[in-house]
Amino acid sequence: MSEVSATPEIPQNNTIYINNINEKIKIEELKKSLNAVFTQFGKILEVLAFKTLKHKGQAWVVFEDVSSASNALRQMQGFPFYDKPMKIQYAKTKSDVIAKADGTFVPREKRKRHDDKGKKRKDQHDANSAGMGLNPAYSGAYGATPTIPYPGGAKSMVPEAPAPPNNILFIQNLPNESTPMMLQMLFLQYPGFKEVRMVETKPGIAFVEYGDEMQSTVAMQSLQGFKITPQNPMLITYAKK
């Protein structure tokens, strides 16, 4: 009995809370990068991060199901994200998008009257109201809507004469809002990573360089078809030299 932890464990749920994030990263860039890194674990309903001083270096990722959140927490714990290891745990409160889905949603006004005990909770409440609401920027892409089919699929983009294996990968079908840092977060997971190169005049494509062709092949096989957004499965081939 002496080994029982003094602090009660937060129960598993759909939302993970991440802190120790590099505070210099702009909010929109941060959200896109978190989505790119975590979407491999399952459908994301929303990604939340705020500019307020109180919430700097923190974010929330809401998954459609608990198993996705659990896998993300376990596998990404300590992941070097913008040069700082991520600290991840389950969120203490259920996000509104999940509460509405399972019928337990309570409007913020009622909850505030019930929770306010004369302590300094106003700022915290205001932040939470923004924090746990559905972010309209993500509601279309990651909300509870049917998966949008992508016409033609990846096959239509396969080059006729693929280049022989080499240490540089050619990435296609990227969303236009992709940035080198977002791609670096993904490809940095694999040994031998050197750099990401994007062409400003040609959005949707990038080149990723590794130390040798064995290392580039491992990354290609692991990330082939990876969806940065539901409509954009990555197509990875060897670059033509």
Side-chain angles (χ1 to χ4, degrees):
M1 296 296 288
S2 59
E3 295 181 8
V4 176
S5 172
T7 54
E9 209 171 296
I10 301 169
Q12 292 186 2
N13 62 82
N14 302 60
T15 306
I16 56 172
Y17 164 69
I18 306 155
N19 65 354
N20 197 42
I21 298 172
N22 192 322
E23 296 180 8
K24 295 178 182 178
I25 310 306
K26 292 182 179 179
I27 294 298
E28 288 309 311
E29 172 81 3
L30 173 62
K31 287 180 180 179
K32 289 174 183 175
S33 297
L34 285 170
N35 186 71
V37 170
F38 283 101
T39 193
Q40 60 185 303
F41 299 103
K43 184 176 179 181
I44 293 173
L45 299 182
E46 55 183 340
V47 177
L48 304 163
F50 308 98
K51 295 179 182 178
T52 55
L53 188 65
K54 184 176 180 180
H55 291 98
K56 275 194 171 184
Q58 305 168 67
W60 291 260
V61 178
V62 186
F63 288 94
E64 188 174 50
D65 55 67
V66 176
S67 62
S68 296
S70 300
N71 288 335
L73 186 151
R74 186 169 60 250
Q75 295 184 42
M76 297 299 286
Q77 190 70 261
F79 178 80
F81 188 70
Y82 290 103
D83 301 321
K84 293 185 74 175
M86 288 196 284
K87 294 181 180 178
I88 310 173
Q89 64 186 56
Y90 293 107
K92 292 179 181 178
T93 55
K94 186 185 295 185
S95 87
D96 282 357
V97 71
I98 296 298
K100 287 175 181 176
D102 66 17
T104 60
F105 177 70
V106 177
R108 294 287 155 189
E109 302 75 44
K110 293 180 184 177
R111 204 179 309 174
K112 183 171 185 284
R113 282 198 296 269
H114 181 267
D115 286 348
D116 256 344
K117 306 283 185 183
K119 296 179 183 177
K120 294 179 181 178
R121 292 191 178 184
K122 187 175 187 306
D123 291 342
Q124 180 183 349
H125 166 73
D126 291 344
N128 285 345
S129 295
M132 288 296 131
L134 177 62
N135 185 337
Y138 285 88
S139 60
Y142 310 113
T145 53
T147 303
I148 302 168
Y150 21 93
K155 288 184 181 177
S156 61
M157 290 171 285
V158 176
E160 292 177 12
N166 63 79
N167 65 317
I168 299 177
L169 300 176
F170 177 46
I171 321 298
Q172 299 175 77
N173 201 36
L174 295 168
N176 288 348
E177 64 268 23
S178 298
T179 65
M181 186 58 73
M182 285 170 64
L183 294 175
Q184 183 177 321
M185 291 294 124
L186 287 174
F187 287 92
L188 191 62
Q189 305 174 66
Y190 303 97
F193 172 83
K194 283 193 169 183
E195 66 171 338
V196 170
R197 294 193 295 275
M198 298 187 80
V199 184
E200 283 187 25
T201 55
K202 294 184 179 178
I205 66 169
F207 295 91
V208 179
E209 183 176 350
Y210 281 86
D212 59 46
E213 67 182 59
M214 293 291 289
Q215 294 168 332
S216 66
T217 300
V218 169
M220 176 196 285
Q221 291 173 346
S222 301
L223 290 171
Q224 188 70 266
F226 180 91
K227 296 178 184 178
I228 291 182
T229 72
Q231 296 83 19
N232 293 84
M234 285 198 295
L235 176 68
I236 307 175
T237 55
Y238 296 107
K240 292 181 179 180
K241 289 191 171 184

